[in-house]
């Protein structure tokens, strides 16, 4: 593509100084550089107004050397995330958060897949895990992880159950899972009592303990011995999220 005069380009916007967001943005920039993609970073101060942010998004929508636009979440409280995400051109929406792309995922006819769920699907496929007819339980129903995750599993003919904070008998439901995907944001909440022997466990959670240690939503030490496969934190789902972001940027560059 470079020889043909096109280098895929990703613009990452970060507002404020959330330390976790800073780490994510740095990792994305670093990966772009490693694989030869062009990237631009826009680090805006916390007090940036919504109108200023929307103006930047509009400028990037029109910028020819930028094929993917990513606004790092969360945004400061005075900015409406939905308004900002909806302003990104769907063709450059490499996070797949725009309603047009969300709708396309629902009907199974998509250009981009949301980065974390798609990264998980790739991990599952690469590990040779068959999903057809399997009982899959997804704990968490966020628009970013839980809901699209359930949809992608459904597209692969799994039988999918979605759990959330109001779910009754969570332990019993989790115990039915052949594949258990956990995205709740609660450190080490899922222990061996939630997992049946031989299950596949995907831990999306990223939580900092008081001693700064990074842990998942799954209590890895108690659960791992009983599983057929399990993802660690760090080094499991997180890197796959970035892989998908790069793939989506490449897809966008090919189409634009
Ligand atoms: P959200 O906070 O948006 O959603 C959490 C979900 O978990 C909600 O649906 C909530 O239910 C549910 N939940 C909370 N507590 C319980 C409980 N006790 N029992 C059952 N369900 C519960 O989080 P995200 O989906 O954005 O992220 C989840 C985790 O994944 C976080 O740790 C985040 O840091 C991590 N993450 C990691 C990524 C990666 O690349 N590795 C990418 C994105 C996120 P309800 O809807 O009822 O409130």
């Amino acid at each position: 593509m470079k020889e043909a005069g096109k280098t895929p380009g990703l613009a990452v916007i970060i507002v404020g100084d959330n330390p976790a967001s800073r780490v994510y943005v740095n990792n994305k920039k670093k990966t772009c550089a490693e694989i030869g993609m062009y990237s631009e970073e826009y680090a805006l101060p916390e007090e940036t107004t919504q109108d200023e942010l929307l103006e930047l998004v509009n400028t990037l929508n029109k910028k020819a050397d930028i094929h993917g636009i990513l606004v790092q979440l969360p945004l400061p409280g005075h900015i409406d995330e939905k308004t900002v995400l909806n302003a990104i051109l769907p063709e450059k929406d490499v996070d797949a958060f725009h309603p047009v792309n969300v709708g396309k995922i629902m009907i199974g006819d998509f250009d981009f897949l949301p980065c974390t769920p798609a990264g998980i699907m790739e991990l599952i496929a690469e590990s040779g895990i068959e999903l057809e007819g399997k009982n899959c339980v997804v704990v968490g129903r966020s628009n970013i992880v839980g809901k699209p995750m359930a949809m992608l599993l459904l597209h692969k003919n799994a039988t999918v159950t979605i759990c959330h904070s109001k779910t009754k008998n969570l332990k019993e439901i989790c115990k039915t899972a052949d594949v258990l995907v956990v995205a709740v944001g609660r450190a080490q909440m899922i222990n061996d009592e939630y997992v049946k022997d031989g299950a596949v466990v995907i831990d999306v959670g990223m939580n900092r303990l008081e001693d700064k240690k990074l842990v998942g939503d799954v209590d890895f030490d108690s659960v791992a011995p009983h599983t057929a496969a399990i993802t660690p934190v760090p080094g499991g789902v997180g890197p796959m999220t970035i892989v998908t972001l790069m793939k989506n940027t490449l897809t966008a560059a090919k189409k634009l």
Side-chain angles (χ1 to χ4, degrees), residues 71-94:
V71 178
Q72 185 65 49
L73 302 179
L75 290 169
H78 64 278
I79 298 178
D80 181 41
E81 286 185 355
K82 205 163 77 178
T83 304
V84 174
L85 295 179
N86 289 4
I88 298 173
L89 202 65
E91 291 82 0
K92 294 192 176 187
D93 171 39
V94 285

Side-chain angles (χ1 to χ4, degrees), residues 116 140-142 145 164-165 183-186 189 204-207 238 241:
T116 300
R141 58 172 165 181
S142 70
V145 187
H164 46 78
S165 66
V184 292
R186 290 180 186 270
M189 174 186 143
V204 184
M206 297 219 273
N207 313 285
T241 299

Side-chain angles (χ1 to χ4, degrees), residues 34-48:
E34 274 170 16
I35 63 172
M37 277 192 191
Y38 172 66
S39 74
E40 290 179 354
E41 182 192 315
Y42 294 86
L44 308 180
E46 181 87 20
E47 55 276 12
T48 301

Side-chain angles (χ1 to χ4, degrees), residues 7-48:
T7 302
L10 174 70
V12 181
I13 304 173
I14 175 170
V15 186
D17 49 10
N18 179 325
S21 294
R22 185 73 260 166
V23 172
Y24 300 146
V25 166
N26 285 348
N27 286 341
K28 288 164 188 173
K29 260 173 49 186
K30 202 173 115 222
T31 310
C32 278
E34 274 170 16
I35 63 172
M37 277 192 191
Y38 172 66
S39 74
E40 290 179 354
E41 182 192 315
Y42 294 86
L44 308 180
E46 181 87 20
E47 55 276 12
T48 301

